[in-house]
Amino acid sequence: MNQFFYPLLGLLPRSLRMRLLMFLLAAIVLAGAVQGALAYRGALDEADALFDYHMQQTALALRSGLPVDAQGLGPGLDPEDENHEFIVQVWTNEGLRIFESAVGAALPQIAVLGFTDVQARGGTYRVFSMQTRSQVIQVAQNMAARRDMARSLALRTLAPLAIMAPLLVLAVWWGVSRSLAPVERVRRQLAQRQGDDLSPVSDAQLPDEVQPLVSELNLLFERVQRAFDAQEHFVADAAHELRSPLAALRLQLQGLQRAGDDAARAVAIERLSAGIDRATRLVEQLLTLARQEASTSTTEPVDLRAVAQLALADVAPAAQARSMDVGLLDSDSDSDADSDAATLPVTVRGNAEALRMLARNLLDNAIKYTPPGGQVDLQVRREGDAAVLTVEDSGPGIAPEHRERVMQRFVRETSEGAPGSGLGLAIVQAIAQGHGATVQLSASPRLGGLLVTVRFG
């Protein structure tokens, strides 16, 4: 069926308006033809019934119209006035024809009473025969003339349909045009837009079949606008933040070029290498932030505990280099029941790689800003319907009045000499917002440093 139907669709115009009009007009024509045929056939049947009734009543009217002792033919008419389309004959019970409405009509006397069709005078006659106590009355009608009159009556019944069909076509055209007017309005809005206009398209009065399409189009505009904004922010941030590192690299290169001995050259090389590492880290974080702010990645169930373990593995070398105790807390309690619950997966919907980056940035910040030999703990738990990830350290923490400010880009409230660009928490905030989570900074009551709580759901 589809192999036959789809090629036919390819022959139709691509315009939705034209397709609707063609389908509706074809349906109107087909329905009109069927209705006309049924009406025509019904009119013919009704005309036949009406003519049969007329013949029957004519015969009944003649039951007492002739004397019972009539012995011959009645007076003939002028041949020019004779009507051979409707013939009346009266016979005696002895078989003598005593009356005929047209001289020479001579329809055969038939023994069948009631209605029957007979061949006479080169055509077919519809004959009604009725017998009284002394006579047999026959009323006959030429079927050709009868059909002509029946067709005339049937065609009169089709006249209103023929008049209404064009009006119905106009009504369909008007209705389709009015129904598609909102779609045409949306088309004009889009056609008149500038290339950078990504404002939502109005979906007022749109048909239910088209409204989801416009809604998805508006969501697409929103995602594209967010990507454009992220790109603009990235360009502005990169232009602002890379200026100082690049200037520092140039100075360090000049220092390397002016180094007079191997010792000075080694120091200059070490500084240049550290500057390159800082610039590389800054570029990586800028790209990560831009990617997360414009991210439209699909979500899937992610085990937050498994993600946290991968993030711990990522920062393990840095923690070892600073002789720090970094680990994953299973539970706040040592009971067996709590220990079993702590090993169960804590599942959230999101992007596994982005969540791993969130945990890694929190751990990396805690390791960088906590003095060597300190402690950093990561914990994943379930609180009711919400999943919670926390990172706390034994570092200096952040003053309450500065906690909201450090979530912004390129803002650092750290101990002297700690490396960083001020993008770590901004990246965490961007990833959390993309997953519908909230980030809260507070003081760690257990370790005395900073406690970062990320709550999902």
Side-chain angles (χ1 to χ4, degrees):
M1 181 66 179
N2 291 339
Q3 294 178 351
F4 173 76
F5 183 70
Y6 288 127
L8 291 181
L9 286 180
L11 300 177
L12 295 175
R14 299 182 64 87
S15 169
L16 180 60
R17 182 196 307 273
M18 292 304 299
R19 286 193 177 191
L20 287 175
L21 288 175
M22 288 181 63
F23 278 123
L24 291 175
L25 293 181
I28 290 174
V29 171
L30 180 61
V34 173
Q35 183 179 359
L38 293 176
Y40 184 79
R41 183 61 188 173
L44 290 179
D45 293 339
E46 290 180 4
D48 280 340
L50 179 63
F51 289 137
D52 285 348
Y53 176 77
H54 178 64
M55 292 170 60
Q56 188 176 12
Q57 293 301 314
T58 301
L60 291 173
L62 293 175
R63 282 184 304 178
S64 59
L66 293 176
V68 296
D69 57 348
Q71 298 294 324
L73 298 176
L77 299 175
D78 187 344
E80 294 182 358
D81 296 331
E82 292 179 354
N83 182 4
H84 293 280
E85 294 179 357
F86 194 84
I87 300 172
V88 178
Q89 294 185 146
V90 181
W91 304 73
T92 66
N93 289 333
E94 290 78 16
L96 176 64
R97 186 170 65 246
I98 61 175
F99 176 80
E100 61 182 1
S101 60
V103 176
L107 290 178
Q109 185 181 15
I110 57 177
V112 179
L113 297 179
F115 288 99
T116 186
D117 294 337
V118 299
Q119 300 293 324
R121 303 182 61 82
T124 302
Y125 280 78
R126 178 77 165 168
V127 180
F128 176 75
S129 300
M130 183 184 70
Q131 185 177 15
T132 65
R133 281 182 289 180
S134 59
Q135 298 172 345
V136 175
I137 302 173
Q138 289 182 335
V139 180
Q141 186 177 26
N142 191 328
M143 291 298 292
R146 182 173 182 166
R147 288 301 180 196
D148 290 340
M149 288 185 288
R151 289 191 189 93
S152 178
L153 291 175
L155 289 175
R156 290 194 190 100
T157 64
L158 296 180
L161 181 62
I163 295 174
M164 290 300 298
L167 298 178
L168 184 59
V169 170
L170 291 176
V172 167
W173 178 83
W174 181 84
V176 170
S177 299
R178 291 286 297 175
S179 300
L180 294 179
V183 180
E184 178 64 19
R185 171 177 53 79
V186 171
R187 186 199 66 79
R188 289 196 303 268
Q189 287 181 2
L190 294 175
Q192 296 171 359
R193 285 192 174 196
Q194 300 296 325
D196 57 350
D197 185 1
L198 297 176
S199 59
V201 178
S202 174
D203 58 356
Q205 299 180 347
L206 281 176
D208 292 341
E209 293 79 8
V210 181
Q211 195 163 19
L213 176 62
V214 175
S215 298
E216 292 299 326
L217 182 63
N218 287 334
L219 291 176
L220 176 62
F221 283 166
E222 182 180 350
R223 291 193 295 269
V224 173
Q225 184 65 57
R226 189 163 60 245
F228 282 169
D229 292 343
Q231 183 182 30
E232 291 178 358
H233 291 158
F234 171 75
V235 172
D237 294 342
H240 177 268
E241 291 300 319
L242 288 177
R243 186 179 297 112
S244 296
L246 292 177
L249 288 177
R250 179 179 295 276
L251 292 175
Q252 290 161 0
L253 178 60
Q254 292 175 357
L256 176 60
Q257 291 172 344
R258 292 195 299 265
D261 53 27
D262 292 341
R265 188 176 296 107
V267 173
I269 291 175
E270 183 179 355
R271 291 177 178 174
L272 179 60
S273 177
I276 292 175
D277 291 340
R278 286 193 297 270
T280 301
R281 176 63 175 167
L282 175 60
V283 171
E284 290 176 350
Q285 288 189 314
L286 283 171
L287 292 174
T288 299
L289 181 61
R291 183 167 60 251
Q292 292 303 320
E293 288 183 340
S295 176
T296 58
S297 301
T298 57
T299 61
E300 59 183 359
V302 178
D303 182 3
L304 199 58
R305 195 183 304 278
V307 167
Q309 291 172 345
L310 293 175
L312 282 172
D314 292 338
V315 301
Q320 291 177 359
R322 294 174 61 85
S323 302
M324 301 184 66
D325 180 12
V326 179
L328 177 65
L329 294 181
D330 289 338
S331 174
D332 292 336
S333 173
D334 294 333
S335 66
D336 294 339
D338 288 343
S339 298
D340 292 339
T343 60
L344 295 176
V346 178
T347 303
V348 298
R349 290 199 63 86
N351 181 275
E353 187 59 33
L355 293 174
R356 179 177 178 179
M357 186 180 303
L358 177 146
R360 185 170 62 241
N361 273 273
L362 290 177
L363 290 170
D364 185 62
N365 277 358
I367 291 172
K368 284 192 299 184
Y369 302 138
T370 300
Q375 182 177 350
V376 176
D377 290 333
L378 172 65
Q379 185 181 40
V380 176
R381 64 181 183 272
R382 176 71 65 179
E383 292 184 357
D385 295 334
V388 178
L389 181 147
T390 62
V391 175
E392 54 186 331
D393 58 61
S394 59
I398 300 177
E401 62 271 17
H402 298 316
R403 289 171 185 166
E404 183 176 354
R405 183 169 175 268
V406 296
M407 303 300 294
Q408 302 174 7
R409 299 182 182 124
F410 309 114
V411 175
R412 301 176 62 214
E413 294 288 338
T414 65
S415 57
E416 189 66 26
S421 59
L423 288 174
L425 289 178
I427 293 174
V428 169
Q429 180 81 323
I431 296 175
Q433 289 177 350
H435 288 76
T438 59
V439 181
Q440 181 181 2
L441 305 183
S442 60
S444 171
R446 189 170 60 88
L447 299 180
L450 180 67
L451 172 63
V452 182
T453 303
V454 183
R455 186 178 299 273
F456 299 84

